[in-house]
Amino acid sequence: MQSTITSIDHYFSTRKRTEKFCQPLSIEDYTPQVVEHASPMKWQLGHTTWFFETFLLTKYLDGYECFDQQFSYLFNSYYNNVGKRIARNNRGVLTRPSVERVYEYRHYVDRHIELLFSQDVDIELEELLKTGIYHEEQHQELMYTDLKLMFYHHPFKTTYKEGGSLLRDENTSPAEWITIKEGVYEIGHQGDDFCYDNELGRHKVYLHEFAISNNYVTNEEFIAFINDGGYEKFDYWLDEGWAWVQKNEITQPLYWEEINGIWHEFTYGGDQVINPKGILAHINFYEADAFARWKGMRLPTEFEWEIAAKQFQWGKRWEWTNSAYLPYPGFKTAEGALGEYNGKFMINQMVLRGGSVATSPNHSRITYRNFFHPHFRWQYTGIRLAK
Amino acid sequence: MQSTITSIDHYFSTRKRTEKFCQPLSIEDYTPQVVEHASPMKWQLGHTTWFFETFLLTKYLDGYECFDQQFSYLFNSYYNNVGKRIARNNRGVLTRPSVERVYEYRHYVDRHIELLFSQDVDIELEELLKTGIYHEEQHQELMYTDLKLMFYHHPFKTTYKEGGSLLRDENTSPAEWITIKEGVYEIGHQGDDFCYDNELGRHKVYLHEFAISNNYVTNEEFIAFINDGGYEKFDYWLDEGWAWVQKNEITQPLYWEEINGIWHEFTYGGDQVINPKGILAHINFYEADAFARWKGMRLPTEFEWEIAAKQFQWGKRWEWTNSAYLPYPGFKTAEGALGEYNGKFMINQMVLRGGSVATSPNHSRITYRNFFHPHFRWQYTGIRLAK
Amino acid sequence: MQSTITSIDHYFSTRKRTEKFCQPLSIEDYTPQVVEHASPMKWQLGHTTWFFETFLLTKYLDGYECFDQQFSYLFNSYYNNVGKRIARNNRGVLTRPSVERVYEYRHYVDRHIELLFSQDVDIELEELLKTGIYHEEQHQELMYTDLKLMFYHHPFKTTYKEGGSLLRDENTSPAEWITIKEGVYEIGHQGDDFCYDNELGRHKVYLHEFAISNNYVTNEEFIAFINDGGYEKFDYWLDEGWAWVQKNEITQPLYWEEINGIWHEFTYGGDQVINPKGILAHINFYEADAFARWKGMRLPTEFEWEIAAKQFQWGKRWEWTNSAYLPYPGFKTAEGALGEYNGKFMINQMVLRGGSVATSPNHSRITYRNFFHPHFRWQYTGIRLAK
Amino acid sequence: MQSTITSIDHYFSTRKRTEKFCQPLSIEDYTPQVVEHASPMKWQLGHTTWFFETFLLTKYLDGYECFDQQFSYLFNSYYNNVGKRIARNNRGVLTRPSVERVYEYRHYVDRHIELLFSQDVDIELEELLKTGIYHEEQHQELMYTDLKLMFYHHPFKTTYKEGGSLLRDENTSPAEWITIKEGVYEIGHQGDDFCYDNELGRHKVYLHEFAISNNYVTNEEFIAFINDGGYEKFDYWLDEGWAWVQKNEITQPLYWEEINGIWHEFTYGGDQVINPKGILAHINFYEADAFARWKGMRLPTEFEWEIAAKQFQWGKRWEWTNSAYLPYPGFKTAEGALGEYNGKFMINQMVLRGGSVATSPNHSRITYRNFFHPHFRWQYTGIRLAK
């Protein structure tokens, strides 16, 4: 079938959104890598493009010539099946190719994708295009959070652009508890819409009765935890969490700083006074779990969250659940390199549900399973309590 | 009520079993700590005794005088509530107290426990005694595995005693698959028998139909995995597992060595030729998971295991499940220091079910939840496949 | 007195030489820091400028306004007396200021230096200007070697510019031994020309008779060492050197690679076939010492070198001596921040004498004492034998 | 010639002195290794014995049978020429051989040495015996200091024996400056008495006039340095020294502790109040150098020390000099394994002269060159000032 207007349009709007985000950057901003888990902008611009070239153009467009053979090595992330790749912590040395040439690469691939999809394409190719688009949307979120972290590491905390505004999200409803009755529920994706392999295998789970908050935890609630010695009493913490607090001398969420007795947070516009009613962000699983225990409550499981989510507003923070990232019953890894996408990370990570202010539009859904190691804080992570 | 014969008898038989195990050791064997996660024998002798002194004698025996005030610091393991404690990786410097004095400590506490339980004791105290006994039984298993590891680290692989025999466990039934039907099942401990807090909160789970092997994976099955390049192909491995293999250049299970083309394993009696029909031991979660994927199968969840276990023989190996160690619904942490026992480790660990040749008699039960980080191999861990 | 034509001319020719060297670079090349001991180009451009601003303009030019207050923090290297400074291994995060702004900084300072020296200046100020010029010349050498190292770290070993030529230096005289008679000799700088504090304190030393080669060791001589198992036999190595070889699995000099049985070296123009007659470069002290022992000879002391140097050609390689970097009798540290220049590094470093192809013109002299830790290889270091 | 009474007597008195030192130890004290640079007592007892077995008995006593073939691997220290050896940081796992068996090894070797020297022996063998004796004397000093460090690492700072007395050495003469005139002097060993290879090659040096103190720096002098902010001002410190202070948060010499405002030092008898007039000990080169700079003075060179030493009392502390450990002109490494004794450590270490309270009787002499890395403090190191 010929590509629907929607897919190829979605492709181009996604590609442009990425580049628009980078517009205020100087050439120098594209290259450094400040921590291993955050990648340079240049690398992400190249990597998302490499994905389309590798999984679509080289396989389906007759006579396609690779833009540059070396890019396959430089811009592969973790796909062992696609050959050797640059070490994850070595992405900051990519002075070459230049930023300019990476943009040329993007536009070269764009033109060929357009060509490929001007012909009749089968459904499988259509699906691959969607996967590539969603992949780039995931990287848009990472670019947003990785860049913030890079600015923060600069000795003078540089900013994205003048007047970048404070994150002012607040809960919009009065707080209340939503109760879900005990019983068998269905979990996982259904229907023809796009989803990742880790959401598939719709299956039944048994839930015992529980209550879940319709609101996120706010900054002022977390300040109360801090003021009550939350970071100083091991009773609230998992053993590993307490070790993390002590080794790193943690006393507040990432990006927070108390200046003359007033809490500030680092934003895209620099340090700003914290909004007490604002929704808490940038805490890791250990902190989320400790906060919940301090409250005498707990975090929901991912299944509880999925069943209750129709009844509350979500999408401003990725929410830590108390579920480890594991396969659903009947989970099947896709064949080939794309099969590495999700399954091989199913160990030592916790599931997050929801979405965040940095998430691309239309990219979040109720069955989406995000996952991170419990110590990471650079995403827009938040807390929703259960009991 | 007066202590039942059973409990105080159980106390003394357990205490004696510990000391009998240590009988062949030289004084020098009691002190070294070869890795952080394995403790010296002397420390374990003291720590199990400290448990009874701290949680029973100092609280319930009028006029009890501590054997030595410093021991509380030296022999505390991770109970933050009971004061400062020696760093976990620093237990190998305990030249003093002498081995002799630690035995005096044990017998001093034994006499006072006997005195305490010669009186009428309430049910709570009875429960504490049981907890202490089970705690010491857990350490008997650790002593068995920690000592083996220490012998193995010696440049010449010393042995426990001459003629210590090879581990010759074999599966005793013909291999078959046990099938469990889809439906709601109950999980967790019930009844009055002793159990740990993490087994409580009996609750319902929904299981989809599955099949599980009645037998353990054998040495020769694992050798086939090795011979087929199991340690060389990343496709079988979780991403973290593959990193572990590469960083540590792993090519076989712990204690295995190929000598002139013949596989040997290090035992309490030294290196011995591997029994092909023997039950595989000393693999970590990554290896268990990779083996299962190579077979086109998977590891069972802890819930599948618990439901199916009535239908197969178990107890020779701790079996890795594909369940993360997390609280059951309604999990409650006990008040006080004993509350630290299990809950605070519920992150980044995988559940093991069953029991092993090193497990104390009467210490394993179908609802017991053991847990370790996925990279550990020094326990008698094994594999049971599911599909 | 009014500044002599010479000094201010020397200033401007030095400043321009620095910028000319940077001309072929892309913006991206200025920022990364690949190892702790090599600094980014941008930082070096700023740091050499900061030196003139801090030690001359802010002190001697009335009404001078700093270009940017933050630069003092960013571009200080190790002068504790001049306030806080950025950590040495954190120089690669300086995305801001932009390259463009650093050049503005340079030119702003240039204009003010011109202004300052258009007036009558006293001899002290003249000396400070010279120190700043020599300081920048030292950094020209570092920029040359640091940039080469950065290019080498790129996954595809990028190059400075197309056709950058191979290092083709060869010895120009027939090999012979120069013999120096036993006796008392004078060491150290004399006269009014510029020198560093560590060369001062001209003093007497007693030398026993020795012979020193008039030539450098060549590539083919070092290949003979390699072919004879030089990197495999501990007998030739200092204990620390042998540990360095084994830990890092060293089998050749830095930048060397054997491709299809032919030795290549990485140059500013990429990998090129080694010239056997070329003068060896990029070996560390351990390698120089091991080579000498393999030859049955030794490295000269810095005193032997200084006395003999009038009789041989030098200046193409920094030459490792067997002298530790220590103060001359009567060594005095200068007052104030400039006093930190040399004295505080007088531990655990070895003296190098001579100069190299990367050394700025007129920057080397017979009494000059360079010094590095014995494991460094990224300078153009070479070997001259003694016996 | 037949062995002189003196040599074989010296052998036995040395061997007995070692064992007498160990008499108060418990079996447990013999095994642990608390830091890499300090070896267990058991290892030192075995290693000193292995030296005699390897370099004398196996080569010169017909029909000699090694006590145990494995001991060669276990008790070799760094002699690459004598085969493989246990890693230096792995000496703490030697639970076996037992302490008892190591003593049997000692006495077995003693009996055979007696047998060997009951015959006519040539001068070379006599020299080897002396080397072995001096080697054991060196280890007596190390045992003394290593054991103190082990006791100190115990959580409760165990002690060697009750009532072990405080180190009460004081300077015995009024302070004065000894002045040495400028000129040519001779350095290095001469005569037939025993010395190490690094003392040989008697040669001339030129010394400029200098003054050196006849006394050691005392505890109260060093307390004045501390009270004046000595550990807080970078101006006094070498760059590496300052990094060491900051990284390790050093605020006093090793073994010192301020308890309720009063300085104590840890001794073989436990913590004791410091004697202000006592001679300072347990400082490293960085501290010695910083102290001297604070005083406006400097440390002597090893040559200055050797020439002046006839005029002052020495032997209570090893004295840091400002000389790097380098070969004398004409230094020759001995052939074979014994050639590894000294030469291969001639990098990154500083020379100490004198001797200490832990040095064996008759083991110190005016030409003796001790050497340590500049950060070590566990020896009885002290300061003598020069200017």
Side-chain angles (χ1 to χ4, degrees), chain B residues 95-96, chain D residues 18 21-26 28-32 34 37-42 44 139-154 157-161 255 266-268 378-380:
Chain B
T95 50
R96 319 288 175 88
Chain D
T18 300
F21 171 73
C22 292
Q23 218 168 357
L25 302 183
S26 70
E28 290 93 337
D29 290 334
Y30 283 88
T31 306
V34 291
H37 62 274
S39 298
M41 294 304 105
K42 188 200 285 184
Q44 302 202 50
H139 275 280
Q140 287 175 353
E141 177 156 356
L142 290 171
M143 290 169 84
Y144 196 88
T145 53
D146 293 1
L147 191 67
K148 183 172 176 180
L149 196 65
M150 189 191 82
F151 287 152
Y152 183 67
H153 270 71
H154 189 281
K157 294 181 181 174
T158 54
T159 55
Y160 178 68
K161 56 180 173 183
Y255 295 130
F266 176 72
T267 72
Y268 259 70
W378 93 115
Q379 293 298 309
Y380 287 86

Side-chain angles (χ1 to χ4, degrees), chain B residues 27 30 42 67 97-107, chain D residues 28:
Chain B
I27 299 294
Y30 283 88
K42 188 201 283 184
F67 181 75
S98 67
V99 172
E100 191 183 346
R101 189 156 163 78
V102 171
Y103 276 108
E104 285 172 18
Y105 178 41
R106 288 184 68 86
H107 302 148
Chain D
E28 290 93 337

Side-chain angles (χ1 to χ4, degrees), chain C residues 11 13 57 59 62 81 85 116 125 135 153 158 183 186 255 316 328 331 367 377:
Chain C
Y11 174 84
S13 64
L57 297 180
K59 295 192 178 154
D62 287 345
N81 269 308
R85 58 201 157 90
L116 177 60
L125 193 50
H135 173 256
H153 271 72
T158 54
E186 295 219 345
Y255 295 131
K316 291 175 179 167
Y328 284 172
F331 172 72
T367 60
R377 315 203 284 176

Side-chain angles (χ1 to χ4, degrees), chain B residues 47 52 246 279 352 356 375:
Chain B
H47 169 66
F52 289 108
Q246 296 212 294
I279 303 172
L352 301 101
S356 92
H375 63 282

Side-chain angles (χ1 to χ4, degrees), chain A residues 304-334:
Chain A
E304 291 171 338
W305 190 95
E306 185 168 327
I307 296 308
K310 289 156 211 132
Q311 300 184 43
F312 54 70
Q313 290 199 320
W314 54 270
K316 292 174 178 166
R317 298 287 181 276
W318 285 106
E319 309 175 31
W320 288 107
T321 73
N322 202 31
S323 294
Y325 180 48
L326 293 169
Y328 285 172
F331 173 72
K332 294 276 178 249
T333 302

Side-chain angles (χ1 to χ4, degrees), chain C residues 177 211 217 221 225 228 230 235-237 287-300 383-387, chain D residues 330-333 335:
Chain C
W177 290 96
V217 168
E221 289 178 283
F225 169 72
D228 194 38
D235 309 65
Y236 307 135
W237 296 83
E287 290 167 299
D289 179 79
F291 176 85
R293 193 163 303 137
W294 171 75
K295 273 284 196 187
M297 301 178 189
R298 62 176 178 85
L299 302 178
I383 307 176
R384 186 184 304 273
L385 293 170
K387 60 185 183 183
Chain D
F331 172 72
K332 293 277 179 247
T333 302
E335 288 294 311

Side-chain angles (χ1 to χ4, degrees), chain D residues 76-265:
Chain D
N76 185 350
S77 56
Y78 55 79
Y79 299 87
N80 289 298
N81 268 309
V82 194
K84 291 198 164 191
R85 58 200 156 92
I86 193 172
R88 186 179 175 85
N89 60 355
N90 210 17
R91 292 174 182 163
V93 302
L94 297 184
T95 50
R96 318 288 174 90
S98 67
V99 172
E100 192 182 346
R101 190 156 161 77
V102 171
Y103 276 108
E104 286 171 17
Y105 178 41
R106 288 184 68 85
H107 302 148
Y108 177 86
V109 164
D110 284 352
R111 287 194 303 275
H112 287 85
I113 286 288
E114 190 167 28
L115 183 63
L116 176 61
F117 282 83
S118 65
Q119 310 156 15
D120 272 1
V121 294
D122 61 17
I123 184 73
E124 188 185 358
L125 192 50
E126 189 80 18
E127 283 305 308
L128 278 173
L129 185 71
K130 271 192 208 165
T131 300
I133 293 167
Y134 285 112
H135 173 256
E136 181 146 346
E137 286 185 349
Q138 284 184 308
H139 275 280
Q140 287 175 353
E141 177 156 356
L142 290 171
M143 290 169 84
Y144 196 88
T145 53
D146 293 1
L147 191 67
K148 183 172 176 180
L149 196 65
M150 189 191 82
F151 287 152
Y152 183 67
H153 270 71
H154 189 281
F156 294 115
K157 294 181 181 174
T158 54
T159 55
Y160 178 68
K161 56 180 173 183
E162 292 291 315
S165 65
L166 176 62
L167 204 62
R168 294 222 163 263
D169 315 295
E170 299 185 5
N171 289 308
T172 50
S173 321
E176 62 179 81
W177 289 96
I178 298 157
T179 302
I180 303 289
K181 288 258 179 305
E182 179 171 2
V184 174
Y185 292 89
E186 295 218 347
I187 293 292
H189 185 80
Q190 63 183 351
D192 294 335
D193 293 345
F194 178 84
C195 76
Y196 287 112
D197 54 2
N198 61 9
E199 303 166 54
L200 289 173
R202 186 156 171 97
H203 65 287
K204 293 177 185 149
V205 299
Y206 194 95
L207 297 184
H208 290 256
E209 182 173 310
F210 68 97
I212 191 167
S213 170
N214 70 325
N215 276 346
Y216 295 103
V217 168
T218 62
N219 290 327
E220 69 185 357
E221 289 177 284
F222 202 80
I223 290 170
F225 169 72
I226 297 175
N227 291 342
D228 194 37
Y231 283 104
E232 294 148 36
K233 295 180 195 152
F234 62 81
D235 309 64
Y236 306 135
W237 295 84
L238 289 165
D239 197 56
E240 276 191 17
W242 184 239
W244 171 80
V245 165
Q246 296 212 294
K247 184 182 171 192
N248 300 288
E249 300 178 0
I250 303 294
T251 55
Q252 70 266 314
L254 179 63
Y255 295 130
W256 284 34
E257 189 179 358
E258 206 174 6
I259 304 174
N260 300 323
I262 296 164
W263 283 109
H264 289 67
E265 65 176 324

